[in-house]
Amino acid sequence: MKLWRVPLDAGHVKVTRGIVHVIEDRCKGCGYCIEYCPTHILGFSKHYNKKGYHPPQILNPDGCVHCRYCEIICPEFAIYSVEAPKPDTQPEE
Amino acid sequence: MEPAVLTGTHYMTGDEACAEGALAAGCLFFGGYPITPATEVAERMAERLPGVGGVFIQMEDEIAAMASIAGASCAGVKSMTSTSGPGFSLMMENLGLAIVTETPCVVVNVQRAGPSTGLPTQGAQGDMYQARWGSHGHYEIIALAPASAQDIFYQTIRAFNLSEKYRTPVLVMTDEVIGHMSERVVIPRAEEITVFNRPRAKGRKDRFKPFEPGPLGVPPMAIAGEGYNIHVTGLTHDERGYPVMSVDCQREMMARLIGKIQNNLDDIIEVEGYLLDDAEIVLISYGVSARTSRAAADEAREMGCKVGFLRLATVWPFPEKHIRELAQRVKGFITVEINFGQIHREVERAVQGKAPCFLAGHCGGTVISPDAVLDIIRREF
Amino acid sequence: MESAKKGKTQSKQPPRHPLDDWLRTDRMPHIWCPGCGIGTAFSACLSAMAATGLPKENFVMVSGIGCSARGAGYANVDSYHTTHGRAIPFATGLKLANPDLNVVVFSGDGDLFAIGGNHFIHAARRNVDLTVVCVNNYNYGMTGGQVAATTPHLAKTTTTPRGNPENPFNIPLLAFAAGAAYVARWTMLHARDLMDSIEEALKKPGFSFIEVLSPCPINYGRRNKEKALDTLHIYQEQTIIKNGAHPAELEGRQDGKIVLGKFWDVAKPSCNELYEKTCRPDFGKDHAA
C-alpha cells in the first residue's frame, strides 16, 4: 500500500496479511470487491465462470491485509479472505 | 392457572361456546379483529387466554389477524381467529398461504347478511361458496357448520382436531343466529374430550424434509426453533420446501394437497340423518337452517308426508356420496339455506338429475320459516 | 500474470465461505441481479446473526414478497416466505407464541411500507420484539421497476415514465413516530456499520428498525442513469453519518447529503413483556404453586 507519509509506528506495527479465496461460480461480476479493495489487489479475470461472468482474480496476493471488506461487500457470498500464517519476520516495505 | 375446560352445564351464546370449544381443544393463540357478530368470540378469548397460558392479540385488521395465527401455528401453538363477511374477505389471501404451507389453524366465520357491509347484526349463510373458493387457485378446504351453541362447542373442537391431523386451515361456518343465541351447553370433563395434535418432525435434523408426506399424506411438522432449519414458502415448493417453478413440481404439490383431503373423506365428513329411513323427500341443510329443516320435517310428518332431513355438519368437502346414495331412492330434495342456492347447486350436482332439487332460500337477515319449506313440499310433491 | 496464477492455485482447496453455515448453499447462486445490493445487506444480516453468539436455532427469518423478501429462502435457519406485506403480522404471531425465538424480518420497501405499511406502524406501536431490516432500493424490483412509496420525487420508473409526481416516505421518521425502540439507516456500502447495527438490534428487546439503502441497477438505476457503481459512489460521497440525528430532519438530503446513522435507541418494555405484566401479573406465581 502506498502511504503519503510513513506512520511513526510503521516499524513495529504488524499488518495482518490475508489470503483471498474466490468461489468463482457464485460471482456475477459486479466488480464491487475490485472497486472497493483498499489495497487494489483485485481485477477482473479474462475467463468466464459457468454463469458467463468474469470473476475477480487476485493480481497481487501479497497485498491483502485481510480487512475482509471484499467479503462483506460481495452480494454473492463469492469472495472471502482468511488470515495468512504469520511469517517469522515482517517483510520489508 | 385456570382450567381450559370449563366442565359443567352452562347457559351461553354460540360465540362463547365457540371460544370454550377452542380452549378445550388446546387453542393458545387468538389473533383477531372486532366485527359483528363475531366479536364475542374474541372477547371471550381475550378474557380466558391469559389464564390458561395463552396469548390474545387484537391485530390491526383481519389480514394481520390471519397472518398472525399462521405465524403462531408455525411456532407450534394451536391458533385461531374469528370474523364475519368483510373480515373473511380480507383473510382470503393468507388463508391460501396457510393451505399451501400446511399450517394448521381455525377460522370461525359468524356469517351475516352481505354483500359488503350488508346487515351486520343479522344472520345469513351467504359465504358458503367463499368458504370453498374464496382464496385464489384450486385447493381443498374443510368447513364445518354448527347448528346450536352445544354443537359449535363440539364442532370447534373437531375443527382443531381436523386442522392438526391434516395440517390445513379449517373453517367453522356458523352464523349470527347461532352466534348470538344463548342455549344450554354441556361441557364434558377434559379427559372425555378427544384432542388431536399435529404430527411432529423427528429424526435427523440435517436430513429432514418439511414437506415429505407421512401417513394420510400429511407431512410431520417442524416447529420454528427446533433446529430443523426448515424453509416454508407460499411459492410452489418441493419436499424440501424450496421454491421450484415448474409444472412437475406444481403437479406433485397440488396432487398431495388435494389428495390428503380427498383420500380421507370418510374421516372428515360428518353428517346427521333425521327420519331418513323411509323418507321420500329429503331436506338438506346446515347451520341455523338445520333447525328450520328439523321443524319442517316434523310438521310434514304430522301432515302425513314422509320427509327426512340430512344435516351437513361438514359442508366442505361436500358430502357428495351421501346425497348420491339418497338420490337413488327418494322423490326429491329441498335444500334449506339463507342464500339463493350455494349448497343447493352442490346438491343438484351430486343428484345428477336422478331426482328433482328445490331450494328454500332467503336473501338473509332472518332465518327461514319452516312454512317456506312446507310450501315447497305442498307445491312440488 | 504470475500473481494471477497464484490467485488461482489458492482456490484449489474446497472454497467455503465463512457464512456458508448460515446460508442454504444448495440454493446458491441466488436470484438477485448482478450489482444488486440486497445480497450485501443480506450478508450483513447473517453476519450480525452469527456475531450475536446466540443459538442458531433460535433465529427465525420472515419475509414478505419481493426481491429482498427472497432473503428468507436463503437463510439456513427456520425461515418463512409469507404473503405480500404480511411478514410483520406473521412474525408477530411467531414471536408472541414463542417469546424465545429471535425473529428477524428481512424484506423490501414496497413490502414493508406500501402494502404492509399498516402492519409496520402497529408492530412498532406495540413494540413487538422484532428486528426489521428493510432493504430500500427505491422501487418494485421483482415486477420490473415500478414506483414505490420510497421512490424519490421525479425519479423515473415504469409506472412514472414522466418522473414520480409524488413524494416518498421518510421511513426512519415513520418508524420513530410509530414507536420503534431502535431506528437506524445505512447503505449497503457501509456494510460494517450495518452489521454492527443489526447485531445491536438483534440483542435489543423491542421493535428495531434498520433501513438499508441499496442499488437496483437493473430496474431503477437503468432508468435513472445510475450504474451500480455510480450508486455506490453516491453512497460513498454523498452521505454523512450523524448518529442521534432527529428522524424528522432526514427527509431528502441535508446539505446535499443523505444522513445515515443510528437515530434512535431507547429502552422500553416489549409487547410480550407488557402482555405478561398487564394480562397475567400473577400467572408465574400461580404456575409455580
Side-chain angles (χ1 to χ4, degrees), chain B residues 33-84:
Chain B
Y33 190 81
I35 187 166
T36 305
T39 306
E40 294 86 348
V41 184
E43 287 173 341
R44 182 85 171 194
M45 293 302 267
E47 176 61 35
R48 290 271 281 130
L49 273 172
V52 301
V55 174
F56 170 90
I57 185 165
Q58 185 173 312
M59 295 300 285
E60 51 274 16
D61 55 32
E62 286 91 344
I63 300 173
M66 187 66 216
S68 75
I69 68 165
S73 182
C74 289
V77 169
K78 290 186 189 180
S79 62
M80 80 178 292
T81 188
S82 67
T83 190
S84 190

Short mmCIF file of all heavy atoms in Angstrom, two decimals, chain B residues 33-84:
data_model
loop_
_atom_site.label_atom_id
_atom_site.label_comp_id
_atom_site.label_asym_id
_atom_site.label_seq_id
_atom_site.Cartn_x
_atom_site.Cartn_y
_atom_site.Cartn_z
N TYR B 33 -59.83 -9.42 15.19
CA TYR B 33 -60.23 -8.04 14.91
C TYR B 33 -61.73 -7.98 15.15
O TYR B 33 -62.44 -8.88 14.74
CB TYR B 33 -59.88 -7.69 13.46
CG TYR B 33 -60.03 -6.22 13.15
CD1 TYR B 33 -59.02 -5.32 13.50
CD2 TYR B 33 -61.18 -5.74 12.53
CE1 TYR B 33 -59.16 -3.97 13.22
CE2 TYR B 33 -61.32 -4.39 12.25
CZ TYR B 33 -60.31 -3.51 12.61
OH TYR B 33 -60.45 -2.17 12.34
N PRO B 34 -62.19 -6.93 15.83
CA PRO B 34 -63.62 -6.91 16.17
C PRO B 34 -64.50 -6.81 14.93
O PRO B 34 -64.19 -6.04 14.02
CB PRO B 34 -63.77 -5.64 17.01
CG PRO B 34 -62.40 -5.15 17.31
CD PRO B 34 -61.49 -5.72 16.29
N ILE B 35 -65.54 -7.60 14.90
CA ILE B 35 -66.55 -7.46 13.85
C ILE B 35 -67.83 -8.13 14.33
O ILE B 35 -67.79 -9.24 14.85
CB ILE B 35 -66.06 -8.06 12.51
CG1 ILE B 35 -67.07 -7.75 11.38
CG2 ILE B 35 -65.81 -9.56 12.60
CD1 ILE B 35 -66.53 -7.98 9.97
N THR B 36 -68.92 -7.44 14.16
CA THR B 36 -70.22 -8.00 14.47
C THR B 36 -70.54 -9.03 13.39
O THR B 36 -70.33 -8.73 12.21
CB THR B 36 -71.29 -6.89 14.44
OG1 THR B 36 -70.85 -5.86 15.33
CG2 THR B 36 -72.66 -7.39 14.86
N PRO B 37 -71.06 -10.16 13.73
CA PRO B 37 -71.46 -10.68 15.03
C PRO B 37 -70.46 -11.69 15.62
O PRO B 37 -70.88 -12.59 16.34
CB PRO B 37 -72.78 -11.36 14.69
CG PRO B 37 -72.60 -11.83 13.28
CD PRO B 37 -71.56 -10.99 12.62
N ALA B 38 -69.17 -11.49 15.35
CA ALA B 38 -68.17 -12.46 15.82
C ALA B 38 -67.38 -11.93 17.01
O ALA B 38 -66.56 -12.64 17.58
CB ALA B 38 -67.21 -12.81 14.68
N THR B 39 -67.59 -10.69 17.37
CA THR B 39 -66.77 -10.04 18.39
C THR B 39 -66.74 -10.80 19.70
O THR B 39 -65.71 -10.87 20.37
CB THR B 39 -67.29 -8.60 18.63
OG1 THR B 39 -67.34 -7.95 17.36
CG2 THR B 39 -66.39 -7.83 19.55
N GLU B 40 -67.86 -11.41 20.06
CA GLU B 40 -67.94 -12.08 21.36
C GLU B 40 -66.97 -13.26 21.45
O GLU B 40 -66.56 -13.62 22.56
CB GLU B 40 -69.37 -12.55 21.64
CG GLU B 40 -70.36 -11.41 21.84
CD GLU B 40 -70.96 -10.88 20.52
OE1 GLU B 40 -70.45 -11.23 19.45
OE2 GLU B 40 -71.92 -10.11 20.60
N VAL B 41 -66.63 -13.86 20.33
CA VAL B 41 -65.63 -14.94 20.38
C VAL B 41 -64.30 -14.35 20.85
O VAL B 41 -63.64 -14.87 21.75
CB VAL B 41 -65.46 -15.62 19.00
CG1 VAL B 41 -64.49 -16.79 19.10
CG2 VAL B 41 -66.79 -16.07 18.43
N ALA B 42 -63.93 -13.22 20.21
CA ALA B 42 -62.68 -12.55 20.56
C ALA B 42 -62.70 -12.10 22.02
O ALA B 42 -61.71 -12.26 22.76
CB ALA B 42 -62.43 -11.37 19.63
N GLU B 43 -63.82 -11.52 22.43
CA GLU B 43 -63.91 -11.02 23.81
C GLU B 43 -63.72 -12.15 24.83
O GLU B 43 -63.01 -11.99 25.82
CB GLU B 43 -65.26 -10.32 24.02
CG GLU B 43 -65.33 -8.97 23.32
CD GLU B 43 -66.71 -8.34 23.35
OE1 GLU B 43 -67.70 -9.06 23.60
OE2 GLU B 43 -66.80 -7.14 23.13
N ARG B 44 -64.36 -13.26 24.55
CA ARG B 44 -64.24 -14.41 25.45
C ARG B 44 -62.78 -14.90 25.49
O ARG B 44 -62.24 -15.23 26.53
CB ARG B 44 -65.17 -15.53 24.98
CG ARG B 44 -65.18 -16.76 25.85
CD ARG B 44 -66.14 -16.58 27.00
NE ARG B 44 -66.34 -17.82 27.75
CZ ARG B 44 -67.34 -17.98 28.62
NH1 ARG B 44 -68.19 -17.01 28.85
NH2 ARG B 44 -67.46 -19.12 29.28
N MET B 45 -62.14 -14.93 24.33
CA MET B 45 -60.75 -15.41 24.26
C MET B 45 -59.81 -14.42 24.96
O MET B 45 -58.85 -14.83 25.63
CB MET B 45 -60.32 -15.63 22.81
CG MET B 45 -61.03 -16.76 22.11
SD MET B 45 -60.84 -18.36 22.94
CE MET B 45 -59.42 -19.02 22.09
N ALA B 46 -60.09 -13.13 24.83
CA ALA B 46 -59.26 -12.11 25.49
C ALA B 46 -59.32 -12.29 27.01
O ALA B 46 -58.33 -12.13 27.71
CB ALA B 46 -59.73 -10.72 25.11
N GLU B 47 -60.50 -12.65 27.47
CA GLU B 47 -60.70 -12.85 28.89
C GLU B 47 -60.04 -14.15 29.37
O GLU B 47 -59.39 -14.18 30.40
CB GLU B 47 -62.21 -12.88 29.17
CG GLU B 47 -62.64 -13.16 30.59
CD GLU B 47 -62.13 -12.12 31.58
OE1 GLU B 47 -62.05 -10.94 31.20
OE2 GLU B 47 -61.77 -12.51 32.72
N ARG B 48 -60.19 -15.19 28.57
CA ARG B 48 -59.82 -16.52 29.03
C ARG B 48 -58.37 -16.92 28.75
O ARG B 48 -57.76 -17.66 29.53
CB ARG B 48 -60.76 -17.55 28.39
CG ARG B 48 -62.19 -17.48 28.90
CD ARG B 48 -62.38 -18.38 30.13
NE ARG B 48 -62.54 -19.78 29.73
CZ ARG B 48 -61.85 -20.79 30.27
NH1 ARG B 48 -60.95 -20.57 31.19
NH2 ARG B 48 -62.05 -22.04 29.87
N LEU B 49 -57.82 -16.47 27.64
CA LEU B 49 -56.50 -16.99 27.24
C LEU B 49 -55.37 -16.73 28.24
O LEU B 49 -54.57 -17.64 28.50
CB LEU B 49 -56.11 -16.48 25.85
CG LEU B 49 -56.61 -17.33 24.67
CD1 LEU B 49 -56.33 -16.64 23.35
CD2 LEU B 49 -55.95 -18.72 24.67
N PRO B 50 -55.26 -15.52 28.81
CA PRO B 50 -54.14 -15.30 29.73
C PRO B 50 -54.13 -16.31 30.89
O PRO B 50 -53.08 -16.78 31.30
CB PRO B 50 -54.37 -13.88 30.26
CG PRO B 50 -55.20 -13.22 29.23
CD PRO B 50 -56.07 -14.30 28.64
N GLY B 51 -55.31 -16.67 31.33
CA GLY B 51 -55.42 -17.58 32.48
C GLY B 51 -55.03 -19.01 32.18
O GLY B 51 -54.72 -19.78 33.09
N VAL B 52 -55.04 -19.39 30.90
CA VAL B 52 -54.67 -20.77 30.56
C VAL B 52 -53.28 -20.84 29.92
O VAL B 52 -52.88 -21.87 29.40
CB VAL B 52 -55.73 -21.43 29.63
CG1 VAL B 52 -57.10 -21.44 30.31
CG2 VAL B 52 -55.81 -20.72 28.28
N GLY B 53 -52.57 -19.70 29.96
CA GLY B 53 -51.20 -19.70 29.43
C GLY B 53 -51.11 -19.31 27.97
O GLY B 53 -50.06 -19.46 27.35
N GLY B 54 -52.19 -18.81 27.44
CA GLY B 54 -52.19 -18.44 26.02
C GLY B 54 -52.04 -16.94 25.82
O GLY B 54 -51.84 -16.19 26.78
N VAL B 55 -52.13 -16.53 24.56
CA VAL B 55 -51.97 -15.11 24.22
C VAL B 55 -53.12 -14.69 23.32
O VAL B 55 -53.46 -15.38 22.35
CB VAL B 55 -50.63 -14.85 23.49
CG1 VAL B 55 -50.55 -13.42 23.00
CG2 VAL B 55 -49.45 -15.16 24.40
N PHE B 56 -53.71 -13.56 23.66
CA PHE B 56 -54.71 -12.94 22.79
C PHE B 56 -54.11 -11.66 22.24
O PHE B 56 -53.50 -10.88 22.97
CB PHE B 56 -55.97 -12.59 23.60
CG PHE B 56 -56.94 -11.74 22.81
CD1 PHE B 56 -57.93 -12.33 22.04
CD2 PHE B 56 -56.84 -10.35 22.82
CE1 PHE B 56 -58.81 -11.54 21.29
CE2 PHE B 56 -57.73 -9.56 22.07
CZ PHE B 56 -58.71 -10.16 21.31
N ILE B 57 -54.27 -11.43 20.97
CA ILE B 57 -53.86 -10.14 20.43
C ILE B 57 -54.91 -9.64 19.45
O ILE B 57 -55.41 -10.39 18.61
CB ILE B 57 -52.45 -10.16 19.80
CG1 ILE B 57 -52.05 -8.74 19.37
CG2 ILE B 57 -52.36 -11.14 18.64
CD1 ILE B 57 -50.58 -8.57 19.09
N GLN B 58 -55.28 -8.38 19.64
CA GLN B 58 -56.17 -7.76 18.66
C GLN B 58 -55.30 -7.09 17.63
O GLN B 58 -54.60 -6.11 17.93
CB GLN B 58 -57.10 -6.77 19.34
CG GLN B 58 -58.11 -6.21 18.35
CD GLN B 58 -59.15 -5.35 19.02
OE1 GLN B 58 -59.73 -5.75 20.02
NE2 GLN B 58 -59.38 -4.18 18.48
N MET B 59 -55.31 -7.63 16.43
CA MET B 59 -54.45 -7.12 15.38
C MET B 59 -55.07 -5.87 14.74
O MET B 59 -56.17 -5.46 15.09
CB MET B 59 -54.20 -8.20 14.33
CG MET B 59 -53.42 -9.39 14.87
SD MET B 59 -51.78 -9.00 15.53
CE MET B 59 -50.83 -8.74 14.02
N GLU B 60 -54.35 -5.29 13.77
CA GLU B 60 -54.78 -4.04 13.17
C GLU B 60 -55.84 -4.24 12.09
O GLU B 60 -56.52 -3.28 11.71
CB GLU B 60 -53.58 -3.27 12.61
CG GLU B 60 -52.66 -4.05 11.70
CD GLU B 60 -51.58 -4.83 12.46
OE1 GLU B 60 -51.73 -5.00 13.68
OE2 GLU B 60 -50.61 -5.27 11.83
N ASP B 61 -55.97 -5.44 11.59
CA ASP B 61 -57.04 -5.75 10.63
C ASP B 61 -57.11 -7.27 10.49
O ASP B 61 -56.31 -7.99 11.09
CB ASP B 61 -56.82 -5.06 9.27
CG ASP B 61 -55.47 -5.37 8.65
OD1 ASP B 61 -54.96 -6.48 8.87
OD2 ASP B 61 -54.91 -4.50 7.96
N GLU B 62 -58.04 -7.72 9.68
CA GLU B 62 -58.22 -9.17 9.56
C GLU B 62 -57.10 -9.81 8.73
O GLU B 62 -56.85 -11.01 8.84
CB GLU B 62 -59.58 -9.49 8.95
CG GLU B 62 -60.75 -9.28 9.90
CD GLU B 62 -61.35 -7.88 9.82
OE1 GLU B 62 -60.69 -6.97 9.25
OE2 GLU B 62 -62.47 -7.70 10.32
N ILE B 63 -56.48 -9.02 7.89
CA ILE B 63 -55.34 -9.55 7.11
C ILE B 63 -54.26 -9.95 8.11
O ILE B 63 -53.70 -11.05 8.06
CB ILE B 63 -54.80 -8.48 6.14
CG1 ILE B 63 -55.88 -8.03 5.17
CG2 ILE B 63 -53.58 -9.00 5.41
CD1 ILE B 63 -55.46 -6.85 4.28
N ALA B 64 -53.98 -9.02 9.03
CA ALA B 64 -52.96 -9.26 10.05
C ALA B 64 -53.40 -10.39 10.99
O ALA B 64 -52.57 -11.19 11.42
CB ALA B 64 -52.70 -7.98 10.83
N ALA B 65 -54.68 -10.43 11.30
CA ALA B 65 -55.17 -11.48 12.20
C ALA B 65 -54.88 -12.85 11.62
O ALA B 65 -54.34 -13.73 12.30
CB ALA B 65 -56.67 -11.30 12.43
N MET B 66 -55.19 -13.01 10.33
CA MET B 66 -54.97 -14.31 9.68
C MET B 66 -53.48 -14.62 9.59
O MET B 66 -53.05 -15.76 9.82
CB MET B 66 -55.61 -14.28 8.28
CG MET B 66 -55.62 -15.61 7.56
SD MET B 66 -56.66 -16.84 8.36
CE MET B 66 -55.70 -18.32 8.06
N ALA B 67 -52.66 -13.60 9.28
CA ALA B 67 -51.21 -13.82 9.20
C ALA B 67 -50.66 -14.19 10.57
O ALA B 67 -49.80 -15.07 10.69
CB ALA B 67 -50.52 -12.56 8.68
N SER B 68 -51.17 -13.55 11.61
CA SER B 68 -50.63 -13.81 12.95
C SER B 68 -50.95 -15.23 13.41
O SER B 68 -50.12 -15.86 14.06
CB SER B 68 -51.17 -12.78 13.96
OG SER B 68 -52.51 -13.06 14.30
N ILE B 69 -52.13 -15.73 13.07
CA ILE B 69 -52.43 -17.09 13.54
C ILE B 69 -51.61 -18.13 12.77
O ILE B 69 -51.22 -19.15 13.31
CB ILE B 69 -53.94 -17.43 13.54
CG1 ILE B 69 -54.53 -17.51 12.14
CG2 ILE B 69 -54.72 -16.45 14.41
CD1 ILE B 69 -55.90 -18.19 12.12
N ALA B 70 -51.30 -17.82 11.51
CA ALA B 70 -50.43 -18.72 10.76
C ALA B 70 -49.03 -18.71 11.39
O ALA B 70 -48.42 -19.76 11.58
CB ALA B 70 -50.36 -18.31 9.29
N GLY B 71 -48.56 -17.52 11.76
CA GLY B 71 -47.25 -17.41 12.40
C GLY B 71 -47.21 -18.14 13.72
O GLY B 71 -46.28 -18.90 14.01
N ALA B 72 -48.25 -17.95 14.54
CA ALA B 72 -48.29 -18.60 15.85
C ALA B 72 -48.30 -20.11 15.70
O ALA B 72 -47.65 -20.84 16.45
CB ALA B 72 -49.52 -18.13 16.62
N SER B 73 -49.03 -20.59 14.70
CA SER B 73 -49.10 -22.03 14.48
C SER B 73 -47.73 -22.58 14.08
O SER B 73 -47.36 -23.68 14.49
CB SER B 73 -50.15 -22.34 13.41
OG SER B 73 -50.26 -23.72 13.22
N CYS B 74 -46.98 -21.80 13.31
CA CYS B 74 -45.63 -22.23 12.92
C CYS B 74 -44.71 -22.28 14.13
O CYS B 74 -43.70 -22.98 14.11
CB CYS B 74 -45.06 -21.31 11.85
SG CYS B 74 -45.87 -21.54 10.27
N ALA B 75 -45.06 -21.53 15.18
CA ALA B 75 -44.29 -21.60 16.42
C ALA B 75 -44.81 -22.75 17.30
O ALA B 75 -44.39 -22.89 18.45
CB ALA B 75 -44.37 -20.29 17.17
N GLY B 76 -45.73 -23.55 16.78
CA GLY B 76 -46.14 -24.76 17.48
C GLY B 76 -47.36 -24.60 18.37
O GLY B 76 -47.67 -25.49 19.16
N VAL B 77 -48.06 -23.48 18.24
CA VAL B 77 -49.19 -23.21 19.12
C VAL B 77 -50.49 -23.30 18.33
O VAL B 77 -50.58 -22.77 17.23
CB VAL B 77 -49.00 -21.80 19.74
CG1 VAL B 77 -50.26 -21.35 20.45
CG2 VAL B 77 -47.83 -21.81 20.71
N LYS B 78 -51.48 -23.97 18.90
CA LYS B 78 -52.78 -24.03 18.21
C LYS B 78 -53.40 -22.64 18.22
O LYS B 78 -53.48 -21.99 19.27
CB LYS B 78 -53.71 -25.00 18.92
CG LYS B 78 -53.29 -26.46 18.76
CD LYS B 78 -54.34 -27.38 19.36
CE LYS B 78 -53.81 -28.80 19.39
NZ LYS B 78 -54.79 -29.73 19.97
N SER B 79 -53.84 -22.20 17.04
CA SER B 79 -54.25 -20.81 16.94
C SER B 79 -55.55 -20.68 16.16
O SER B 79 -55.92 -21.55 15.37
CB SER B 79 -53.15 -20.01 16.24
OG SER B 79 -52.96 -20.51 14.93
N MET B 80 -56.23 -19.58 16.41
CA MET B 80 -57.50 -19.34 15.71
C MET B 80 -57.80 -17.86 15.58
O MET B 80 -57.20 -17.02 16.25
CB MET B 80 -58.66 -20.01 16.45
CG MET B 80 -59.14 -19.20 17.64
SD MET B 80 -60.56 -19.92 18.52
CE MET B 80 -61.86 -19.75 17.35
N THR B 81 -58.77 -17.57 14.72
CA THR B 81 -59.33 -16.23 14.64
C THR B 81 -60.82 -16.38 14.39
O THR B 81 -61.30 -17.46 14.04
CB THR B 81 -58.66 -15.40 13.53
OG1 THR B 81 -59.12 -14.06 13.63
CG2 THR B 81 -58.97 -15.93 12.15
N SER B 82 -61.56 -15.30 14.61
CA SER B 82 -62.98 -15.32 14.28
C SER B 82 -63.31 -14.03 13.57
O SER B 82 -62.68 -12.99 13.80
CB SER B 82 -63.82 -15.45 15.55
OG SER B 82 -63.70 -14.29 16.33
N THR B 83 -64.30 -14.11 12.69
CA THR B 83 -64.64 -12.94 11.90
C THR B 83 -66.02 -13.09 11.31
O THR B 83 -66.73 -14.07 11.58
CB THR B 83 -63.58 -12.70 10.81
OG1 THR B 83 -63.80 -11.44 10.21
CG2 THR B 83 -63.62 -13.79 9.74
N SER B 84 -66.40 -12.12 10.48
CA SER B 84 -67.62 -12.21 9.71
C SER B 84 -67.31 -11.71 8.30
O SER B 84 -66.17 -11.30 8.03
CB SER B 84 -68.72 -11.38 10.38
OG SER B 84 -69.96 -11.66 9.75
#
